[in-house]
Amino acid sequence: MKNILVPVGSSKNAKSHLQYAVDFAKEFGAKVYVVQIYNVYTKAGTMIKIDHILERESQTFLDEHVASIDKKGVEVITRVFKGKLIDTIELAAKALDVNLIVLEPRTNSVNDDVYLGKTSGKIVKQTQIPALVVPEGYVYKPIDSIMMAVKSAILKREDALRPLRAIKNHFSSKLNLLLVKTPNHTPSDFEIDDELKTLIDKKIESKNATTYQGVLEHFKALNPDLLCVVRRKRGFFQKLWEENTVMRKDFYISEVPVLILRGLK
């Protein structure tokens, strides 16, 4: 894990979030790219060009933002991009060879009842970049225990487990795999890939209507430092595939970081 991308918004949590990302990056000797994306919507007949103004203001904001945290020797690079959010994030991630995007749940100071805001929700929903969603105000600590919850252990992407393996190996974390048997379960869903087998310390099987319900049932007993789930069209964040915003009342497990892997199946 060498390059970490941190999109920055205007939330009151932005400073503590960037500090977490830097502390996390230091563990891996990774670079941190702090980015802000802007887009310009102009009315017909408008003659004023404001691109350079927005770019300059964004760059000044990022430089001041980075200066406000303790970089701890980590190389932190700021970048400003113009374009549509998802397309630009994906292009930036590819150009910068990003291994992980570290997201705060809400990039803007929106309703406190919201767990995952529209911007972060879009990034999780519409990109295939591995993402780490860090709770607001969360202070970095080593990851000793990981809970991975899936309804299918079938692996088809060779690099899908790379962020999970990097974290587990670095911290010597204990990985508990929760296999959730949902109503559309097939026997092959629980055939664990050889690579995943090498990471598992304990396997648990559960029968629930959704992966999320399985997590709710076992989360307290396992008490993980990190929850790991898989990005699927009808997966853990089921409501996310209907809307980009996830409410706190619909997501009770918001006290630990959530690692979202690229689609496995």
Side-chain angles (χ1 to χ4, degrees):
M1 201 175 305
K2 295 301 181 183
N3 297 307
I4 294 174
L5 188 70
V6 183
V8 172
S10 59
S11 81
K12 57 187 178 183
N13 179 60
K15 181 176 178 179
S16 65
H17 176 71
L18 180 57
Q19 187 65 64
Y20 178 95
V22 167
D23 293 348
F24 182 84
K26 183 176 175 61
E27 291 285 347
F28 296 90
K31 292 181 183 178
V32 173
Y33 288 94
V34 185
V35 304
Q36 191 164 64
I37 297 168
Y38 71 93
N39 206 346
V40 179
Y41 299 93
T42 58
K43 294 181 179 179
T46 301
M47 299 298 293
I48 301 175
K49 279 189 167 289
I50 61 172
D51 283 25
H52 67 286
I53 299 173
L54 291 175
E55 182 178 3
R56 185 176 67 245
E57 289 181 348
S58 294
Q59 187 63 58
T60 299
F61 170 78
L62 287 184
D63 292 342
E64 292 175 351
H65 184 50
V66 170
S68 72
I69 60 111
D70 182 358
K71 295 191 283 295
K72 299 184 177 180
V74 173
E75 185 176 359
V76 181
I77 302 165
T78 58
R79 291 283 188 271
V80 175
F81 297 101
K82 174 188 173 183
K84 294 181 179 179
L85 175 67
I86 300 303
D87 292 344
T88 307
I89 283 282
E90 289 185 326
L91 287 171
K94 186 175 181 179
L96 301 173
D97 194 22
V98 166
N99 309 115
L100 183 72
I101 182 167
V102 178
L103 295 171
E104 51 181 325
R106 302 179 298 166
T107 57
N108 299 303
S109 296
V110 296
N111 190 336
D112 285 341
D113 292 333
V114 171
Y115 165 67
L116 203 61
K118 282 188 176 181
T119 301
S120 297
K122 280 184 178 180
I123 294 171
V124 170
K125 173 183 175 181
Q126 297 179 31
T127 74
Q128 280 295 319
I129 309 166
L132 181 65
V133 181
V134 181
E136 293 178 3
Y138 192 82
V139 177
Y140 169 79
K141 67 175 184 177
I143 298 169
D144 297 324
S145 174
I146 303 170
M147 176 182 183
M148 182 180 184
V150 295
K151 63 181 180 180
S152 174
I154 298 172
L155 301 178
K156 290 193 175 179
R157 303 191 72 110
E158 291 184 1
D159 60 347
L161 293 173
R162 191 172 295 166
L164 177 63
R165 178 179 288 280
I167 291 171
K168 176 178 168 59
N169 288 348
H170 181 81
F171 295 103
S172 299
S173 312
K174 179 180 179 181
L175 176 61
N176 295 301
L177 177 66
L178 176 66
L179 295 169
V180 183
K181 185 181 292 187
T182 57
N184 59 349
H185 170 81
T186 62
S188 63
D189 286 333
F190 283 8
E191 293 177 4
I192 302 173
D193 177 87
D194 289 340
E195 183 184 3
L196 182 55
K197 281 181 182 177
T198 65
L199 301 178
I200 300 168
D201 293 286
K202 183 180 179 181
K203 183 182 72 173
I204 303 164
E205 294 188 9
S206 181
K207 188 175 182 179
N208 302 93
T210 65
T211 309
Y212 179 59
Q213 288 181 13
V215 170
L216 287 179
E217 181 180 333
H218 296 275
F219 185 84
K220 188 174 181 180
L222 294 175
N223 191 29
D225 298 311
L226 176 72
L227 174 62
C228 179
V229 296
V230 178
R231 183 187 280 108
R232 301 187 195 272
K233 281 194 172 182
R234 305 301 303 179
F236 179 78
F237 284 115
Q238 187 163 351
K239 286 183 174 292
L240 198 60
W241 307 118
E242 297 158 5
E243 299 179 11
N244 290 324
T245 300
V246 175
M247 305 302 290
R248 286 188 184 275
K249 65 182 178 64
D250 297 320
F251 187 72
Y252 303 100
I253 305 164
S254 57
E255 65 266 33
V256 301
V258 179
L259 175 64
I260 305 170
L261 302 178
R262 300 175 68 174
L264 300 183
K265 188 175 179 180

